[in-house]
Amino acid sequence: KLDSETKSLIRKALDKTIQLKELFRQQSQTLTEKNKDVLPVLNYFKRLAKPLENSLLNDLELLYDKAWKEDAKELQELNRIAQSMISQTQNPKNCTRAKKLHCVMNHMTCGFGCIIHDYGLCAFVSIGESRTLQYDMNQLATYPGINTTFEYPSETCVNRTNFGNYKIEWHPKLHKDAPSSNKEVLTMTINEPSTSHSQFSPGTVPQHLIERLQLVHSDPNAWWTGHVISYLVRPQKWVLEELKTIKREIEFEHPIVGIHVRRTDKISEASYFGLERYMDHVESWYDRYQLKHPKEKVVRRIYLATDDAQVVKEAKNSYPHYKILFTIGRTFNNSQNRKSNSAVKGVLFDALLLKDSDFVVVTFSSNIGRLVYELRQNTSSDPTYNVVSLDDGFYYWGEIGNKQVAIMDHKPPTSQLCNGTTFRSPIPEMRKWTCELELRVGDQLQSFGYMYHSYLSGGYNRRSKLHGVYPTHKVKDVLTPAAYPRHYT
Ligand code: GDP
C-alpha cells in the first residue's frame, strides 16, 4: 500500500509533466510563428520528444491508477456522504416548520450552463444554512422546461409557485443576526454579476471532510462544487431513458474521448482554439491507451459536442481515421422530450455524453466545460486527470477562496518583473496579464481561474500588492473550509 506522501509525489509529478508538455508546445508554437527556419529542428525535436513525453505520462498514469485503486472505496464513500448530506438538508421531515431559501433569478441573459451555475449559488447557501431550496425555473423565459428536466431539490418540501413574495432578502449580515436568520423564509436574488458573498459560497469545502478528501482527491474544491451541482441537475427518469436511446443510436461505446468545441458567440469572449489543439490531446490519449492495451485493436472514437455544426464537418474531413459521434442537428422528438425546450435538449445531452466519456477536452472559459468537470465529480473516480481545459483553470463566478501560498521563491528577470510598468505576456492566452510576479516562500496569493494557463497561473500577491503571473508549480492551493452541516447517514 502506498503511503500518502508517495501518492502526493505521484500527483505532483503528473502535474509538472503536464505543465512541461504544455510549456514545450506553447514555446514551439511561438518559435515557429516568429521564425519559419526553425521548423526542421522543431520537427526533429517533436518526432523524438512526443513519444517520450507520452511514455513518461503513461508511466505516471499507471502509478496514479494504482494509487487510486486503493482509494476507490474511500472516494465512493465520500461521494455517498456528500449526496446524503445535501439530500438531508433539502428534505426536512416537517416542511411547514422547515426553513426555506427562495431563489429568485434576475439574471436573464444567461445560457444553460450559466443558469445552472446561478442556481448553484443558491444551492450552496441553502445546503450550508440547512434551508430547503425552492425555485421555479420556469420563471426563465429562455429556458422553459428545466422544471420538467431535473428532479426538484426536495421531495418533502416542494413549492414552485408561491414564492418570491417574501420581502426578507437573504444577506450575510442578516445571517449573522440571529432573529433574522430564524425567519422561516428568506429570498436570495441572483443579480448580475453572480456573487453570493456567503460563508457557504462556491470555493468552500465542508470542513469535516477536508482531511479525508485530501488523501484521495486532487481537487477537493471541484469535488464539493461538483456534488452540489450534480444534486441540482439530477436528470428526471425520462432524460436518462432518452440518453440510453441516444447512446444506442449513435453507437456511444468505450473507449471514447469527448471534446467540447464552443464557437458562435463565445469567440468574441474567449480565445479561439482550432480543432487541432483539441486533437493533440485526443491523439496523445489514444496513444497512451494503446500503450496500456497493446493487444487491443482500438477504434478511435470521439464524441464531439459543439454549438456549431460546421465543426462536425471540419472534424470529419480532417480526421477521417477517427469515428466521430455527435448529436448536433438531431431532432429529439420523443413525446416526453417535448416537455423540455429544444434549447435545453441539445446542450443537456451533449453535457451528459461528455460526462460519460473516458477523457474530455474542453475549455473552462465555457460554463459547459466547467459543468462537465463538475458532473464528473459524482462518479467513481477522481476526474482531475481525465479532463483537460485548453484555457482557464477551474473556477466559479461568485466563488470565495481561490487562495494559494508560494512554496518556492520566484525571481523574474527585471525586464519582466511586475513593478507598476507593463510588459506584455508572451502567451496569447495570458494576454490580459502583463508581467511576472516575484514570489517569496510563504507569500499569500489570490488566484484567478480565468487567468490560468497550465504552467502559469495569474493572481494577486497580497505582500507586494501586485497582479501578475507566476509558475504554477511554485504555489500550492489553500482550501477554504466552511462549517456545512454534519448530519448524514
Ligand atoms: P458559455 O456561454 O459557453 O459560458 O455557456 P452557457 O451555458 O452559458 O451558454 C452556452 C449556450 O450555447 C448554451 O445555452 C447552448 O445554447 C449553446 N451551447 C454551448 N455548447 C453547446 C453544445 O455543446 N451543444 C449544444 N447543442 N449547444 C451548446
Side-chain angles (χ1 to χ4, degrees):
K1 195 165 162 63
L2 298 173
D3 59 56
S4 57
E5 205 181 326
T6 313
K7 285 179 189 166
S8 153
L9 280 172
I10 297 172
R11 274 187 205 151
K12 280 190 205 163
L14 245 178
D15 285 336
K16 288 173 196 174
T17 308
I18 291 167
Q19 288 167 25
L20 205 57
K21 182 169 143 75
E22 179 54 20
L23 177 60
F24 282 151
R25 191 208 58 74
Q26 172 67 49
Q27 293 310 308
S28 310
Q29 184 185 325
T30 310
L31 265 179
T32 328
E33 280 163 8
K34 282 197 173 143
N35 182 0
K36 294 269 178 278
D37 295 346
V38 298
L39 257 178
V41 181
L42 271 181
N43 285 341
Y44 173 81
F45 167 74
K46 275 191 202 161
R47 185 171 57 78
L48 294 181
K50 271 210 149 186
L52 176 61
E53 196 181 80
N54 235 3
S55 169
L56 170 63
L57 251 183
N58 190 52
D59 290 348
L60 290 168
E61 280 174 348
L62 288 172
L63 263 175
Y64 184 84
D65 287 349
K66 209 173 155 182
W68 171 76
K69 256 198 194 110
E70 292 175 355
D71 293 334
K73 270 207 181 119
E74 170 70 349
L75 184 58
Q76 277 168 23
E77 175 58 8
L78 286 164
N79 286 348
R80 194 193 63 75
I81 290 172
Q83 287 301 308
S84 129
M85 193 174 130
I86 299 172
S87 171
Q88 288 201 24
T89 62
Q90 298 306 308
N91 289 289
K93 290 206 173 75
N94 183 340
C95 179
T96 326
R97 293 223 311 265
K99 292 188 193 168
K100 288 124 196 149
L101 185 74
H102 285 180
C103 191
V104 176
M105 190 63 61
N106 260 358
H107 187 190
M108 290 303 183
T109 51
C110 199
F112 175 78
C114 166
I115 284 191
I116 305 275
H117 285 132
D118 274 355
Y119 279 104
L121 292 168
C122 292
F124 277 92
V125 172
S126 79
I127 295 161
E129 303 273 343
S130 286
R131 284 182 173 273
T132 305
L133 177 63
Q134 298 189 324
Y135 62 72
D136 181 358
M137 277 196 168
N138 280 337
Q139 78 169 122
L140 285 157
T142 33
Y143 287 105
I146 289 194
N147 254 339
T148 54
T149 303
F150 302 122
E151 298 288 355
Y152 202 71
S154 181
E155 280 176 22
T156 61
C157 209
V158 181
N159 168 8
R160 296 175 202 259
T161 51
N162 179 25
F163 75 107
N165 302 323
Y166 294 83
K167 291 293 166 235
I168 304 156
E169 281 282 319
W170 176 88
H171 192 276
K173 281 196 185 128
L174 290 181
H175 160 77
K176 284 190 193 117
D177 179 2
S180 304
S181 70
N182 281 334
K183 293 278 184 255
E184 184 205 325
V185 180
L186 294 182
T187 301
M188 182 165 165
T189 308
I190 302 295
N191 293 305
E192 203 173 358
S194 318
T195 44
S196 59
H197 307 299
S198 160
Q199 61 164 315
F200 301 112
S201 290
T204 56
V205 187
Q207 192 165 13
H208 61 289
L209 297 179
I210 284 187
E211 217 172 290
R212 285 174 72 179
L213 258 174
Q214 278 179 317
L215 292 176
V216 296
H217 201 288
S218 302
D219 193 352
N221 167 27
W223 176 85
W224 176 241
T225 304
H227 273 285
V228 175
I229 296 298
S230 299
Y231 185 86
L232 203 59
V233 300
R234 288 164 304 149
Q236 288 182 11
K237 207 165 147 225
W238 72 263
V239 177
L240 295 174
E241 275 163 15
E242 176 97 12
L243 183 66
K244 259 195 216 156
T245 310
I246 294 172
K247 280 187 172 172
R248 204 172 41 244
E249 287 178 9
I250 63 171
E251 297 177 15
F252 187 96
E253 286 162 30
H254 297 275
I256 189 159
V257 173
I259 62 177
H260 178 239
V261 184
R262 179 77 166 92
R263 294 270 197 265
T264 62
D265 57 310
K266 199 75 179 180
I267 292 174
S268 56
E269 206 181 297
S271 303
Y272 174 92
F273 297 102
L275 207 47
E276 69 285 354
R277 283 289 301 279
Y278 294 82
M279 292 308 292
D280 198 27
H281 288 280
V282 176
E283 204 118 291
S284 297
W285 187 84
Y286 272 115
D287 289 349
R288 297 201 299 282
Y289 184 89
Q290 190 72 77
L291 284 175
K292 290 184 189 90
H293 306 85
K295 291 194 184 131
E296 194 176 319
K297 190 165 175 352
V298 182
V299 177
R300 297 192 171 211
R301 288 182 203 85
I302 301 174
Y303 181 74
L304 171 51
T306 180
D307 53 336
D308 180 357
Q310 269 308 108
V311 178
V312 177
K313 270 194 195 158
E314 187 193 334
K316 284 186 162 176
N317 286 337
S318 311
Y319 301 94
H321 51 298
Y322 278 88
K323 186 168 177 188
I324 296 166
L325 321 180
F326 56 94
T327 52
I328 190 167
R330 181 191 171 101
T331 43
F332 303 90
N333 51 12
N334 165 317
S335 64
Q336 277 171 310
N337 206 327
R338 283 194 210 107
K339 285 182 195 165
S340 186
N341 167 292
S342 62
V344 174
K345 278 182 254 171
V347 65
L348 167 69
F349 287 116
D350 269 343
L352 294 176
L353 290 163
L354 289 174
K355 176 196 165 218
D356 289 345
S357 300
D358 298 301
F359 177 79
V360 290
V361 188
V362 299
T363 45
F364 280 166
S365 57
S366 167
N367 277 284
I368 304 299
R370 300 198 301 282
L371 178 65
V372 168
Y373 185 45
E374 288 155 0
L375 295 179
R376 289 169 75 95
Q377 301 293 336
N378 189 21
T379 54
S380 54
S381 64
D382 175 353
T384 308
Y385 298 106
N386 56 43
V387 176
V388 167
S389 162
L390 293 181
D391 51 16
D392 304 347
F394 178 68
Y395 66 92
Y396 199 112
W397 284 113
E399 71 188 341
I400 54 171
N402 36 3
K403 287 181 229 146
Q404 292 176 325
V405 63
I407 50 170
M408 288 184 212
D409 288 342
H410 181 60
K411 291 210 184 336
T414 356
S415 62
Q416 321 236 318
L417 181 72
C418 289
N419 59 5
T421 43
T422 54
F423 300 91
R424 276 192 83 74
S425 166
I427 299 150
E429 286 87 344
M430 301 290 287
R431 61 184 178 273
K432 290 168 217 147
W433 290 109
T434 50
C435 52
E436 274 179 45
L437 280 177
E438 186 206 17
L439 299 181
R440 291 187 206 155
V441 173
D443 276 358
Q444 291 178 10
L445 298 127
Q446 169 128 25
S447 72
F448 303 108
Y450 53 93
M451 298 292 186
Y452 164 93
H453 181 75
S454 181
Y455 57 93
L456 281 186
S457 296
Y460 174 74
N461 188 331
R462 291 182 197 279
R463 177 185 54 81
S464 62
K465 300 192 170 44
L466 291 168
H467 285 87
V469 297
Y470 43 90
T472 306
H473 75 280
K474 293 191 174 180
V475 296
K476 194 173 88 175
D477 287 338
V478 177
L479 296 174
T480 307
Y484 284 89
R486 275 170 159 270
H487 57 264
Y488 54 81
T489 49

